[in-house]
Amino acid sequence: MGRFQPFHLGHLDLATRILDECDEVIIAITSSQFNYLEKDPFTAGERIEMIHNSLKEASLDLSRCFVVSIENQFNVATWASYLKSALPHFDKVFSGNNYVSMILADSGIEVMEPMFLDRTLYNATKIRSMIVSGENWKDSVPNAVYELLTKINAKNRLTVISKSDTNPTKH
Ligand SMILES: Nc1ncnc2c1ncn2[C@@H]1O[C@H](COP(=O)(O)OP(=O)(O)OP(=O)(O)O)[C@@H](O)[C@H]1O
Ligand SMILES: NC(=O)c1ccc[n+]([C@@H]2O[C@H](COP(=O)(O)O)[C@@H](O)[C@H]2O)c1
């Protein structure tokens, strides 16, 4: 699970490795209600499209993959039980986020720490900043993500968000 803002090659590598050892993978897009914000620029629909197209392009078996979106919950302590009702049945969660691991483990959910593919290269914060600065970010994401982000003019969106006075993350 994660925000996937945007989905990058580290995420694709993790999904591929999970499918190697598990029957199915559920890719849960968290913070799905957030968009047009600095840390969350893309809509849930755009993220579903990025992920679906990337899995298809990588020839992963789509009949073993779910892509679902999850809105954040006001009550953090009951988030884990909400996940159980909102997601198809799952046996364990892969997350590299200590806060998430603590909340889920406290509710009895097994959490696995993923093996990170070169995090200095493959991390969404860095990719968002490279899109704005005009550095080469094409090689950090699946081609399907590059095409979608180019089509929706992600560079303009991220640039306008970063300069906007109405950006709530600036207040
Ligand atoms: N390079 C990577 N290799 C493997 N897994 C990764 C990598 N980067 C992130 N993940 C995992 O993917 C999931 C979703 O991560 P997330 O969307 O927060 O990515 P991120 O690149 O860390 O994003 P951001 O920089 O915006 O916080 C998390 O469980 C995280 O541990
Ligand atoms: N109460 C909640 O809805 C709740 C609690 C903990 C984490 N989350 C979300 O889980 C995600 C975890 O972040 P990473 O993308 O770093 O794995 C974030 O989107 C975060 O907002 C939501």
Side-chain angles (χ1 to χ4, degrees), residues 105-119:
D106 284 353
S107 290
I109 293 173
E110 185 183 354
V111 184
M112 309 285 291
E113 165 114 35
M115 205 179 73
F116 285 98
L117 185 71
D118 192 347
R119 216 175 181 185

Side-chain angles (χ1 to χ4, degrees), residues 1 3-4 8 10-11 96 116-117 119 122-125 128:
M1 67 165 58
R3 293 175 5 265
F4 308 115
H8 54 61
H11 299 140
F116 285 98
L117 185 71
R119 216 175 181 185
Y122 306 116
N123 91 68
T125 303
R128 291 193 298 276

Side-chain angles (χ1 to χ4, degrees), residues 7-170:
F7 189 77
H8 54 61
L9 288 174
H11 299 140
L12 181 62
D13 179 69
L14 177 58
T16 307
R17 279 185 287 107
I18 292 173
L19 272 183
D20 283 343
E21 63 177 73
C22 304
D23 294 337
E24 292 174 329
V25 63
I26 303 166
I27 302 181
I29 301 171
T30 55
S31 297
S32 67
Q33 78 274 35
F34 294 130
N35 49 60
Y36 286 85
L37 297 172
E38 207 147 11
K39 276 186 73 185
D40 286 295
F42 307 116
T43 65
E46 287 164 344
R47 288 179 274 167
I48 290 173
E49 221 176 299
M50 280 179 217
I51 296 170
H52 174 83
N53 293 351
S54 300
L55 302 177
K56 195 169 161 194
E57 180 180 76
S59 302
L60 296 188
D61 179 358
L62 293 182
S63 71
R64 295 168 59 212
C65 304
F66 294 88
V67 183
V68 295
S69 60
I70 301 284
E71 287 193 359
N72 283 8
Q73 299 296 299
F74 187 72
N75 186 331
V76 180
T78 58
W79 183 55
S81 51
Y82 169 72
L83 290 178
K84 285 184 188 164
S85 74
L87 295 172
H89 172 80
F90 60 90
D91 294 318
K92 53 190 166 190
V93 171
F94 288 80
S95 173
N97 180 321
N98 290 339
Y99 178 68
V100 167
S101 304
M102 173 184 69
I103 297 166
L104 300 186
D106 284 353
S107 290
I109 293 173
E110 185 183 354
V111 184
M112 309 285 291
E113 165 114 35
M115 205 179 73
F116 285 98
L117 185 71
D118 192 347
R119 216 175 181 185
T120 51
L121 219 54
Y122 306 116
N123 91 68
T125 303
K126 180 163 181 207
I127 293 167
R128 291 193 298 276
S129 94
M130 288 165 94
I131 293 173
V132 174
S133 67
E135 284 168 80
N136 176 22
W137 54 277
K138 189 174 191 285
D139 298 337
S140 304
V141 297
N143 189 51
V145 172
Y146 182 76
E147 281 177 6
L148 180 81
L149 294 185
T150 305
K151 187 177 89 183
I152 65 174
N153 199 350
K155 178 170 183 170
N156 181 61
R157 186 184 306 183
L158 290 167
T159 306
V160 172
I161 292 170
S162 69
K163 291 181 180 156
S164 172
D165 286 342
T166 51
N167 179 347
T169 58
K170 294 217 178 291

